[in-house]
Every structure is written in C-alpha cells, then in structure tokens.
Amino acid sequence: SVRYLGCINLDELTPKQQQEHAFHIGLSALLGDKVYNFGELLAHPLLEALKVACPWIVELLLAFNRGDMNKLEALQPQWSQQPDLARNEVAMKQKCAILGLMELTFNKASSSRSIPFSEVAAAVKLPVDEVELLVMKAISLNLVRGSIDECDKVVNLTWVQPRVLDLTQIKEMNKRIKEWADSVEKTVQDVEKQIPELLCN
C-alpha cells in the first residue's frame, strides 16, 4: 500500500477519492499480517483526508505505531463497528502488543534491555504467562532479536527492527543520544583525572 502511495498524484483525486483511498490503505495496514511499520504511512499527506472524515482510524494507526494498548481499547467502540476490524479483533490486539514490545525495547538504552516479564506484561496489557509466547512471535517475525530466560523470567533483547519514526519517537531518540553523549563525556573526564596517576605508576 505504501508503494502505491508513491505512484499516485493526489491532485488527480477528488476529496472523496482521497478519503476512500486513505481509509482502505489504513485498513490494509492495520490488518496486514506482515505490516509492522506505520511511520511512512502516517507521514503521507493522503492521511490528511481522513483527519476530518474519519479521525478515529488515524488515531488507531497512531496507537499501533506506538503499540499503545490503552488507546486501542479506548477506540474499540469506533473500530468494532467496522466489520473487517471487528472480525480480526484477536489478531489486531496481538499485533498491537508486538508493536508495544518493539516500542518498549526501542525506548530502552542498549545497556538496559534485560526486561522482566512483568514489565513487558504491564506495557502490553497481557498476563505474565503470555509474555513468552509474544516475544517468541516477535522474534520469529524478525522484529526483535534476543533470548528468553525462563528461569529468571527475563527477556534479553539486543536489537529491534528499524522503523520510520514519528516526532515523539524522534524526540525520545534525541533524548537517549544526549544521555549517551553525557555518559561518554563523564567517562572521558574520569579517564583524564586518572592519567597523572597512571603516568606516575
């Protein structure tokens, strides 16, 4: 659907056609079993046509992009009226939970990606005993990489699939880069303080 967006000229479509195209492309992204990257779609000007005509689907796409299970549930009165979405409720909730796991991993510093089952469960609103299956599904789809420690009930994630980021995610990344730079600066200062001692020894 995103490839299709790159081939159309919005000026050649009427407002009604833009709304119909945006709705069906949004629907296919939500229901696509291999679509876990919503950033490019959300950034496309075609989606502006939906913000007035059908704002809930834009909010739903944003919720999926962030893996926001609370927003998904809050919007259920709207999306459950759409037959295709209502029929795929279980698959949609699993997909949003996987995206929530990806978001949780993305927001962790690379040195802090040993995540307890309980933290994952709280983030994606699942029982703790379903976390392992969720992580296995995400690993099998090559959305994250890592291992599962069943004894300590911890997930060790080393990589998360790159995605097109929205402004909120970019701000979060900028914050983490700043924290990393501050940490490097502190390390450099500590080493510089120890240089005279090392030279003396």
Side-chain angles (χ1 to χ4, degrees):
S1 60
V2 174
R3 290 194 192 99
Y4 170 74
L5 289 177
C7 300
I8 62 173
N9 184 349
L10 295 185
D11 295 334
E12 296 176 356
L13 302 176
T14 66
K16 183 173 174 53
Q17 288 175 323
Q18 288 185 26
Q19 290 171 13
E20 290 174 351
H21 278 58
F23 182 82
H24 288 109
I25 289 170
L27 211 61
S28 67
L30 291 167
L31 297 174
D33 59 358
K34 293 182 180 178
V35 180
Y36 287 88
N37 191 341
F38 292 82
E40 194 171 347
L41 174 59
L42 286 166
H44 198 281
L46 182 65
L47 238 61
E48 293 295 323
L50 277 184
K51 288 184 178 178
V52 175
C54 194
W56 65 264
I57 198 166
V58 178
E59 291 183 50
L60 191 58
L61 288 164
L62 287 166
F64 268 70
N65 193 51
R66 294 189 295 265
D68 188 343
M69 296 295 290
N70 289 320
K71 190 66 174 178
L72 175 65
E73 291 183 0
L75 290 168
Q76 188 158 355
Q78 285 81 35
W79 62 257
S80 62
Q81 299 301 310
Q82 208 289 325
D84 293 317
L85 297 178
R87 275 196 303 270
N88 290 277
E89 178 180 346
V90 173
M92 282 178 59
K93 288 184 174 179
Q94 184 188 61
K95 182 173 182 174
C96 193
I98 289 174
L99 284 158
L101 173 67
M102 293 174 69
E103 187 73 5
L104 177 64
T105 307
F106 172 78
N107 288 331
K108 292 280 186 182
S110 58
S111 58
S112 306
R113 287 186 174 170
S114 291
I115 311 170
F117 281 18
S118 57
E119 186 177 348
V120 176
V124 301
K125 300 196 72 174
L126 281 179
V128 172
D129 60 3
E130 294 183 22
V131 166
E132 186 175 355
L133 186 61
L134 179 79
V135 176
M136 289 170 64
K137 176 76 172 174
I139 291 174
S140 72
L141 291 168
N142 200 34
L143 299 173
V144 297
R145 293 176 191 161
S147 59
I148 301 170
D149 187 331
E150 294 182 47
C151 296
D152 292 333
K153 302 295 182 186
V154 169
V155 180
N156 300 299
L157 298 175
T158 57
W159 177 87
V160 61
Q161 186 185 81
R163 295 183 292 160
V164 177
L165 306 179
D166 62 24
L167 286 176
T168 303
Q169 292 166 323
I170 290 171
K171 286 178 183 176
E172 179 62 31
M173 176 173 276
N174 184 57
K175 176 185 170 186
R176 293 214 317 277
I177 290 173
K178 186 178 184 306
E179 289 172 352
W180 174 80
D182 290 344
S183 175
V184 170
E185 179 64 24
K186 185 177 182 304
T187 301
V188 169
Q189 290 174 356
D190 290 343
V191 170
E192 287 176 343
K193 288 177 184 176
Q194 294 176 23
I195 285 177
E197 296 178 18
L198 292 172
L199 291 175
C200 290
N201 293 333

